[in-house]
Structures are given as C-alpha cells and as structure tokens.
Amino acid sequence: MKFGTSGLRGLVSDLEGRASSLYTQAFARHLLETGAARLGDTVLVGRDFRPSSPDIAATCIGALSQAGLSPIDCGAIPTPALALYGLHLKAASLMITGSHIPADRNGIKFYRPDGEIDKQDEMRITAIAAELDRSEIDATRSEAPDHSVQAETLFLARNAAMLPQGALAGLKVGVYQHSTVARDLMVRVLEGYGAHVVPLGRSVDFIPVDTEAVSAETIGLLKGWTREHRLDAIVSADGDGDRPLVSDETGEPLRGDLLGLIAAKFLKAQIVVTPVTSNSGIEAAGDFEVVRTKVGSPFVIAGMLAAVEAGKTGVMGFEANGGLLTASPFEAGAATLLALPTRDSFLPVLATLVLAAREKKPLSQIVAGFRLPFAAADRLENFPVETSAALMSYLRQSDDNLAAFLAPISTVAAKSEIDGLRVTLEDRRIVHFRPSGNAPEMRCYVEAGTEDEAKALLYEGLNLIRAWAAKLERQLDENCRRYWNE
C-alpha cells in the first residue's frame, strides 16, 4: 500500500480487511493529534461502485468507531459531492475508490475538515500506520447512519445554480453512465438546464474509464453513439466522478486540460494552477496567470493555497485529466460558488456545454478556435514499477543517455524534471515520460503542430519505452543465466 498522486492505492487483496482498518485508524489518530478532530466528531465515508468498495467502507466505518469518532455513511457518491458535504459540516471524510484503475485495485482518499490532505499529512499517516502495524488490528466491519440524500442534495443545489435557467436548451447530450457514481446526478443536472439527455452504456460491472488516456474501445463507443443518436456531445466521468469526459459531435474526446481552460474562462479566473503535463499553450490562451506544478491534486492544491495566502483572488486549478478545483469563491450564474479544493467533473462539463449552447457551434469548431498545440497521451499498463524507475534513472543519469534514447525521434533542445521528464525537441515538439504515481503504468504525453504529428510522436514515444524495457529484460535474463552457469 502506498500514496500516489491522489490517495492510498493498492490491490484489493492487500487493502481489504486489515490494511483498510490500519490506515483508517492511522488517519483518525492523525486527526486527533493535530486537533483537526476531537473524540466524538463526525467523519464521512463515501464509496464508488467497484465490487470491493462496500466491504472496505464498512471496515473503515468500524475503524473510525473504534477510534472514538462518529462515522456517517454517504453511500455511493461522487468524490466532489462527499468533499462538499464535508466542508459544509466541517467534518473529515474518506472516499473508498480506485478512481479509473481496474476493479482488482482500490484505494482510499482522505479529507481533513478543511479539504484534501496534503503530502505532509500522507507522510504522517504512513508513519502512524507503520507504528500501529506492529500491534493487533481489529478489522471488524460496521454500519453508520445514512446521509447519502443530504450529501447529494447539497451537491445538486450547487450545480443547479451554476447556469441560467434553460441554459442548455437545444442541446442533445449523451451521458455515458458505465459504472461512474456520477451517472444519475449528471443526468439530473443536465436535464435541469433543459438539455435533451440520452443515457448510454449503463453497466452493472465496473468499467475503468481513464479520462486522461481514453481507450480505443471507449472512443469507438462514443463515435457509434453520436452517429446513432445524432448527439451534440457525450459527457461522462471516471469511477468516482471527479474527472470529466466530454466528446464532441463526432465522438472525439476533448483533452482534459482544454476542459480546464474553458472552465477558467467561464469563471473569469485570475490565477490558474495546473501540472506540467497540461498543454503548453495554456499560458497564451487566457487573461490569467499560470502556475505549473507536479502531477497530483495535492500539488495543485498547494499551489492554489500559496496564491490565496499571497492575497490573490479568482484562484482555481485543473489537472490534465480535466478535474477542476477552486480555492476562491466565484460568481457563476445566479450564485456564488464557494471554494471546493478537490477535483470536480461537473463544473468543466457544464462550462463546456454552455459554451456550445451560447455560440451555437459544434464542439469540434469551438475546440479548433482555441488553436492550442495538438496534444496526445497514453499509458503502458501492467508496466512494472521497477522498470519505470530504472528507465527514469537511466534517462536522468546523463544528457548523453537522454540524447541516445530520443535519437530515433529528434534532437533534445531542453528538458524539465518538475515531474517525470518533459523534453522539448529541436523541432519544438514535446515528449514527456512519467511513471504513474499510483499504478504499475508508464505514461507518455506529447505535443506537436498537427493531430497526426502528435499521434505519430505518441506512438514513437511508447515504442521507445517498450523497446528499452525489452532490452532491460533481456539483459536481466542473460545475467541470471550467467550467474547460474558460474
């Protein structure tokens, strides 16, 4: 078990039972030690739809009760809705979710009463867990009072006040429901603004949808549905509803960082905090200051809080996956949106759809109008963490190693090591290698002058990774054979 870019993650077989109780008790003790909670205080628990989540949630509820806190069950609910309810009640919370990763994995996201935990909190929780791990851990499951209706009602009210009445009238929008906990709420919100909504692809089985690297299978579904139903757009979210997915009238997914840019313009943001993986054209695309960070919501939140502490207003952030965070109040529609410093999929979806409704143009034309560099991203799944670490170590070891690795593509002009290794090539294309922070995956992000160039560069970048990994495996096999022969 370890913390990644957002929360604790691991195999279900490792997390179920003892480990989930262990880390929940460590979180509870951390809350009590820091004064973020007192004995008897409320702690919320939510979950996604993956098969293991109900049992893990029940174990966490039992662990919270053992620690002297008062758990509240918020049921299957989007992460931003749970976080909003926690801020409303000034209560800490836990979200049982593995987000977009397969169902054989799961995780826990932890929230203080004032929002998502930071990296220092993660370190302390890990240390407490290591200390508690030396003693017997009671993993008894338990139940708690159900506040799912209250939490959903508050989140619906926030989203129902964001746009003018009837703002989406005239749009025909599909909602790819799959197994996201946002599926029913998203339909209700869009219908509330007058959109003609077509629910699509609802699934009993858990489907891992990664909005940052949309699979070819998912794109095929989106394209088929847009043709069949003549849709203006299809919207969806990942498993826990904090990352948006929007496709245009052809079924082509929009980049998450473009959704963030559209939302920044919708909110009239003054400060935009976003990871280094977001499109390099964002700085020139709006009237706001851009702050770049490492990948992961804790880093984006830290950047936003630093801006607020410096006296800035209009502060928001987004990740390349489209998840949008706010650190300042914003005026939207007839309401003031209070700060919600955790990823939210609903706001970027609404900002994008209302832009299409107002301009009365297909989303593909609106996207083209932003004139951002063409970007693409994908990942190699089931890629050993040790191999990722070895590759990154090799590339960082010397400029000669990096140059030799990228020689089949182009010459290196500049590099950044803010998170992973982001390389600007001599022809101004960009290729960025980064191991996933919470799964055995190696990610590659690219930018180029045209869509075809970006796709070709992504293909080349992933092939370079595969070839290096295969060469490393051959070397290890040869060393093993030599060892046994000797």
Side-chain angles (χ1 to χ4, degrees), residues 65 81 94-95 129 253 267 311 322 340 355 367 424:
S65 296
L94 295 85
M95 179 69 183
L267 292 173
L340 182 57
L355 179 62
V367 169
T424 302

Side-chain angles (χ1 to χ4, degrees), residues 193-473:
Y193 285 120
H196 177 187
V197 177
V198 181
L200 302 163
R202 192 180 185 94
S203 175
V204 175
D205 298 324
F206 186 81
I207 300 175
V209 173
D210 186 348
T211 66
E212 191 173 4
V214 185
S215 69
E217 180 183 2
T218 298
I219 293 174
L221 291 173
L222 299 176
K223 289 184 177 294
W225 285 327
T226 53
R227 287 193 301 269
E228 179 184 354
H229 299 284
R230 298 183 179 181
L231 301 171
D232 296 304
I234 295 178
V235 302
S236 187
D238 65 340
D240 66 318
D242 69 347
R243 302 180 179 195
L245 174 61
V246 179
S247 72
D248 65 19
E249 77 286 354
T250 72
E252 186 66 28
L254 276 59
R255 285 270 306 181
D257 45 17
L258 174 60
L259 300 180
L261 173 59
I262 292 172
K265 288 178 170 289
F266 169 76
L267 292 173
K268 299 181 175 61
Q270 299 299 309
I271 304 289
V272 170
V273 182
T274 193
V276 66
T277 49
S278 292
N279 195 289
S280 63
I282 289 170
E283 276 80 351
D287 298 325
F288 41 68
E289 178 186 344
V290 178
V291 178
R292 295 281 182 167
T293 71
K294 291 183 177 181
V295 175
S297 53
F299 297 110
V300 175
I301 292 169
M304 293 193 305
L305 294 179
V308 171
E309 289 170 1
K312 306 290 186 179
T313 58
V315 180
M316 59 155 282
F318 62 82
E319 295 188 270
N321 55 47
L324 188 133
L325 313 89
T326 54
S328 300
F330 285 94
E331 299 300 323
T336 298
L337 293 179
L338 298 179
L340 182 57
T342 195
R343 283 192 303 250
D344 175 26
S345 64
F346 281 68
L347 198 158
V349 164
L350 291 175
T352 303
L353 293 179
V354 78
L355 179 62
R358 287 172 179 171
E359 296 200 4
K360 300 187 185 304
K361 293 179 182 178
L363 271 176
S364 61
Q365 291 185 21
I366 293 174
V367 169
F370 280 93
R371 300 185 182 281
L372 293 176
F374 285 88
D378 205 347
R379 69 195 190 279
L380 298 178
E381 297 180 280
N382 300 315
F383 197 85
V385 173
E386 296 82 3
T387 306
S388 295
L391 173 58
M392 299 309 296
S393 176
Y394 170 78
L395 296 178
R396 288 175 171 139
Q397 192 173 43
S398 70
D399 290 342
D400 287 342
N401 285 0
L402 180 61
F405 182 79
L406 290 171
I409 296 178
S410 184
T411 304
V412 175
K415 66 178 181 180
S416 168
E417 297 188 40
I418 291 178
D419 197 344
L421 193 59
R422 186 176 179 88
V423 180
T424 302
L425 303 172
E426 195 172 43
D427 54 14
R428 301 183 67 181
R429 293 180 299 166
I430 292 174
V431 59
H432 184 172
F433 303 111
R434 177 184 162 269
S436 172
N438 48 36
E441 298 174 350
M442 186 69 184
R443 293 181 178 267
C444 181
Y445 312 82
V446 302
E447 290 183 19
T450 68
E451 183 177 4
D452 287 343
E453 288 176 353
K455 289 179 178 179
L457 181 58
L458 179 61
Y459 178 80
E460 290 178 296
L462 291 172
N463 275 347
L464 287 180
I465 298 170
R466 290 189 188 99
W468 192 91
K471 181 180 178 182
L472 178 65
E473 186 174 358

